Amino acid sequence: MKPRRWNPETVAPPLGRYSHLAEVPPGHRLVFVSGQLGVLPDGSLAGPDAETQARQIFVNLGTLLAAQGAGPEHLVKLLTLVSGTEHLPGYRAAQVEAFAKWFPDGDFPAQSLAVVAALAGPDYTAEVEAVAAVPAGD
């Protein structure tokens, strides 16, 4: 069983790839994933641009979910921070690519996106944290 995600007709449709509501099913535990940056396993930056970094962010999220016996289908909520509006197109391009694979049916998790002045270092363009609902027996 995966989280239930939906958009009631009583509010405006989502502006992007997200659902207004997400519900954790019974028998699941919440797993909180700290904000992921576009860094490779050795800690080096995946690339200088937002699209390259965001692609790596989604790889990192997938790897961390897999370590919990979960996958993108278990995501309940994402919080995305982008360091400046100039990085939005690159981030969105990588997100479209990842979400096409992760959520081909358009059943997206809840999500918030904020543009911020800076992240943990001057070269980081995006950061994504996540909450997943993982079956308790896994």
Side-chain angles (χ1 to χ4, degrees):
M1 181 181 273
K2 66 179 186 174
R4 177 178 174 229
R5 300 181 278 242
W6 73 103
N7 297 301
E9 293 181 12
T10 54
V11 297
L15 298 174
R17 289 166 189 82
Y18 63 91
S19 297
H20 283 302
L21 295 168
E23 180 180 27
V24 176
H28 285 64
R29 60 189 169 89
L30 292 178
V31 174
F32 296 85
V33 181
S34 294
Q36 294 300 298
L37 299 166
V39 295
L40 300 168
D42 66 4
S44 64
L45 198 59
D49 60 287
E51 189 169 350
T52 303
Q53 289 185 33
R55 278 192 186 116
Q56 186 62 44
I57 287 169
F58 291 114
V59 168
N60 294 347
L61 285 173
T63 300
L64 291 167
L65 290 169
Q68 290 295 308
E73 68 276 14
H74 295 103
L75 288 170
V76 177
K77 173 80 165 99
L78 298 172
L79 171 61
T80 300
L81 306 172
V82 177
S83 64
T85 56
E86 68 274 18
H87 298 300
L88 283 171
Y91 170 78
R92 285 190 174 129
Q95 182 196 49
V96 165
E97 183 181 291
F99 278 24
K101 294 174 190 169
W102 286 6
F103 311 107
D105 58 358
D107 184 23
F108 304 117
Q111 182 173 199
S112 297
L113 183 145
V115 176
V116 297
L119 294 169
D123 296 328
Y124 300 128
T125 60
E127 181 174 342
V128 179
E129 68 176 41
V131 178
V134 180
D138 290 356

